[in-house]
Amino acid sequence: MDRLSDLHRSIILNQYFLKKNKSIDYVVPVFALQDEINGQISEMILNWSNNLISQGMEYDEVAMCLNSEYRQKLSKVHNFVEITVPAMREIDFKTHFRLTRTSVEVIFSMIGHMFHTDNMKISMEKQVLVTLWYMANSETHRQIASRFNVSNSTSYKIVQNNLKYITSVSDTVIKWPCNNEQLLTLKKFQNLRNKVLPGVFGAIDGCHIKILAPWVKRTVMPPLNKSMFYNRKQVPTVILQGIVDADQKFINIFCGWPGSSHDARVLRRSIIGNRLLNNPWEILPRESFILGDSAYPLTEAIMTPYKNNGHLTPAQIFFNQTLSSSRVVVEQSFGKLIGRFRKLRLLDVYHKSYCGLIITAACVLHNICMSQGDDIEVEEYEQYIPPAVPDTGNGINKRDQLCALNYEQ
């Protein structure tokens, strides 16, 4: 009797929603809808449920049937983009979206022409803000859908489309300096510190971005070797290899490689790495070089510090300090990237090929922000230093010359 009373109580509650809240999305039997005008809906539903029970259906099955027939629509935030966002102060807008309105306007101008192909009735402004919120906060699509008053599937589709739009302009935002830009890049590094090495063109490093441990969640997903993604600290990651200029903007990225790989191997696998190792003067001015840490091979085009074996000379120690003071720009860039886009603190996506898309989009947005003077405080991130590689080749002589010159000055 108590169980049947609970069933009747749920029917009365459903009747209340039907009468009092017209925004509730519900489904009832056709005969109940026909008699709603006559005020007989409660009796009809009660008779319907009793009929199911009389036919031998268990109580739990009837309750499940009723739950499926009365689907309450999840409450959502209305007019967040239309009213709340425009009313935000600039500082509040940047706190929530991690970009200034000026940077967002630049994004509109760069990818706005692509939205005519998505066949969605949602405005371009709202779609971009949904994507920025996804990147700036560690929220699920369910939470984003509730805030922006869209469905979960629409939120996912918006983000996926917009990430593709943003990465499609990566060649114009993340680009290697050429011609006169190369001279300007060299000059900016010379003005970066009071004491710098002559000929610094950029700084390279690898950043480990945490991901979900890979597993076969669904049969449609390709099987992965889990051990590939665990780094030496036994944390599942993917690697972002970045080269930055003196303005802390990325001039080249290579991302998505499994975390078990050494930085030197990632360099060799990348297109830019092959050029730096085999034909560096095709892309670098003569006598210039990229700064790297001890995990990278020492060459004439990649300058690394002396290995600290406890017997370094004062000149070598001073050289390492000078190199580190200039190379810190790449660590600052990673800190700002992860600090601005909190999604990169943990990429909770199951398809690992999707990780590269998110990271590339974040780097594009980072460059746009830095170009607009939209800076952000450096965020501390867990730096991962792989084992050092031996120093060989012509880079040794060049480093010794730079070391002597740097110490004499």
Side-chain angles (χ1 to χ4, degrees):
M1 183 66 181
D2 291 339
R3 297 175 65 176
L4 192 58
S5 298
D6 291 339
L7 177 59
H8 292 168
R9 192 178 298 112
S10 67
I11 294 174
I12 295 172
L13 184 61
N14 284 323
Q15 179 188 2
Y16 171 81
F17 279 120
L18 290 175
K19 290 184 176 181
K20 299 297 183 182
N21 193 340
K22 297 303 181 183
S23 65
I24 296 299
D25 181 22
Y26 59 91
V27 177
V28 296
V30 175
F31 62 82
L33 285 174
Q34 293 173 343
D35 290 330
E36 182 179 5
I37 300 177
N38 300 326
Q40 300 177 1
I41 185 171
S42 179
E43 182 180 355
M44 296 301 297
I45 294 177
L46 185 60
N47 292 336
W48 177 56
S49 60
N50 288 335
N51 183 46
L52 294 176
I53 294 174
S54 65
Q55 294 177 12
M57 183 177 289
E58 296 292 334
Y59 169 84
D60 293 339
E61 294 175 327
V62 174
M64 184 181 300
C65 185
L66 285 175
N67 287 335
S68 65
E69 293 292 332
Y70 290 86
R71 298 193 302 271
Q72 181 179 346
K73 187 176 182 180
L74 295 176
S75 60
K76 297 181 184 295
V77 178
H78 295 279
N79 297 320
F80 179 71
V81 173
E82 294 78 8
I83 297 177
T84 305
V85 172
M88 288 181 180
R89 299 177 301 167
E90 185 64 35
I91 187 173
D92 295 329
F93 183 90
K94 185 170 181 178
T95 299
H96 289 299
F97 292 96
R98 313 300 286 173
L99 286 79
T100 63
R101 285 189 169 94
T102 303
S103 298
V104 176
E105 290 294 334
V106 174
I107 297 171
F108 289 160
S109 64
M110 296 186 71
I111 66 174
H113 64 281
M114 305 179 188
F115 284 86
H116 69 279
T117 61
D118 57 19
N119 296 323
M120 298 185 69
K121 297 181 180 180
I122 300 175
S123 67
M124 173 190 69
E125 290 78 8
K126 186 171 184 176
Q127 291 191 49
V128 171
L129 290 178
V130 167
T131 305
L132 293 179
W133 192 278
Y134 174 84
M135 298 292 290
N137 302 279
S138 301
E139 288 190 358
T140 63
H141 284 290
R142 174 179 54 82
Q143 294 169 310
I144 295 174
S146 175
R147 181 178 300 276
F148 288 89
N149 194 21
V150 296
S151 66
N152 295 1
S153 59
T154 300
S155 172
Y156 176 81
K157 184 178 180 180
I158 287 174
V159 171
Q160 195 170 46
N161 287 346
N162 279 259
L163 290 178
K164 292 178 181 178
Y165 298 158
I166 294 171
T167 55
S168 68
V169 299
S170 60
D171 291 341
T172 61
V173 179
I174 304 174
K175 55 183 179 179
W176 194 263
C178 299
N179 303 324
N180 293 335
E181 293 179 350
Q182 292 187 339
L183 300 178
L184 182 60
T185 301
L186 291 169
K187 184 178 180 180
K188 286 183 176 180
F189 265 107
Q190 291 301 307
N191 298 331
L192 188 63
R193 303 283 187 269
N194 293 330
K195 190 70 174 178
V196 295
L197 299 175
V200 178
F201 189 82
I204 186 173
D205 202 0
C207 176
H208 283 249
I209 297 177
K210 296 179 181 178
I211 61 172
L212 291 177
W215 70 89
V216 181
K217 185 173 183 290
R218 300 182 181 91
T219 56
V220 297
M221 294 177 61
L224 293 173
N225 183 358
K226 292 177 61 174
S227 62
M228 290 194 310
F229 290 89
Y230 283 87
N231 60 25
R232 293 178 66 247
K233 294 184 178 181
Q234 295 305 303
V235 177
T237 61
V238 291
I239 300 175
L240 163 62
Q241 175 186 276
I243 304 177
V244 304
D245 60 14
D247 295 328
Q248 300 177 17
K249 293 193 298 184
F250 293 99
I251 58 177
N252 184 268
I253 61 170
F254 179 67
C255 58
W257 205 260
S260 63
S261 302
H262 193 278
D263 283 356
R265 184 187 180 196
V266 177
L267 176 70
R268 292 193 301 268
R269 293 289 185 175
S270 65
I271 296 176
I272 193 68
N274 279 321
R275 302 188 72 177
L276 288 173
L277 295 174
N278 300 318
N279 301 294
W281 312 127
E282 292 182 355
I283 57 175
L284 289 176
R286 280 285 179 179
E287 303 305 323
S288 66
F289 47 84
I290 304 292
L291 299 178
D293 59 21
S294 58
Y296 290 97
L298 174 64
T299 69
E300 290 187 337
I302 303 176
M303 195 55 52
T304 63
Y306 288 95
K307 308 298 186 294
N308 190 359
N309 54 10
H311 303 285
L312 296 180
T313 65
Q316 291 172 337
I317 294 175
F318 188 60
F319 174 87
N320 285 357
Q321 293 173 346
T322 305
L323 185 149
S324 178
S325 67
S326 295
R327 200 188 69 85
V328 72
V329 293
V330 67
E331 297 175 1
Q332 292 172 335
S333 298
F334 286 147
K336 291 180 179 181
L337 181 74
I338 297 176
R340 189 188 299 269
F341 304 111
R342 299 187 182 98
K343 194 67 179 179
L344 300 184
R345 294 180 180 179
L346 174 63
L347 287 180
D348 53 344
V349 296
Y350 297 108
H351 289 276
K352 301 315 169 196
S353 58
Y354 195 35
C355 295
L357 182 68
I358 297 175
I359 297 171
T360 301
C363 293
V364 171
L365 295 173
H366 168 86
N367 275 16
I368 292 175
C369 292
M370 299 304 292
S371 298
Q372 298 300 314
D374 183 4
D375 207 346
I376 196 169
E377 293 184 2
V378 176
E379 189 89 1
E380 290 292 334
Y381 78 101
E382 187 177 357
Q383 189 176 4
Y384 176 79
I385 304 177
V389 297
D391 294 337
T392 58
N394 296 330
I396 295 178
N397 295 331
K398 184 173 182 177
R399 184 175 64 182
D400 289 341
Q401 294 173 4
L402 287 171
C403 178
L405 178 63
N406 179 63
Y407 194 64
E408 290 173 0
Q409 295 176 350

